[in-house]
Amino acid sequence: MGLGSVLVGGFSGLSIQFMSNAIRKVPLSREPWNHVGMFILGCWAGNQYCKVEEQLVDDINELRAERGMPPMIVTKGW
């Protein structure tokens, strides 16, 4: 889940930069450092998404435990 979400985030950032260049009608490969930067930013966002999702599941399970409910069933053994 970690590597997949990082790569999806990276390619999403790269796609955003390509789309930005296409909308402005400039060559798609213009300013390639922006492509690298957006890929890295997207990778970071994909990684953060996994961490936030795990934290939300933990918080939900704490609330459910306080109310005497069984924990929420999720995959990957969170």
Side-chain angles (χ1 to χ4, degrees), residues 17-30 35:
Q17 182 61 34
F18 278 127
M19 185 63 68
S20 171
N21 285 353
I23 289 172
R24 292 184 291 152
K25 297 187 184 219
V26 297
L28 295 180
S29 60
R30 185 176 184 191
H35 294 77

Side-chain angles (χ1 to χ4, degrees), residues 40-68:
I40 292 171
L41 185 66
C43 289
W44 177 80
N47 188 28
Q48 290 300 316
Y49 177 79
C50 286
K51 291 178 182 178
V52 167
E53 188 177 25
E54 288 179 20
Q55 183 62 38
L56 286 174
V57 169
D58 291 340
D59 291 344
I60 289 170
N61 284 336
E62 285 179 18
L63 289 172
R64 291 175 67 94
E66 289 174 2
R67 296 178 182 164

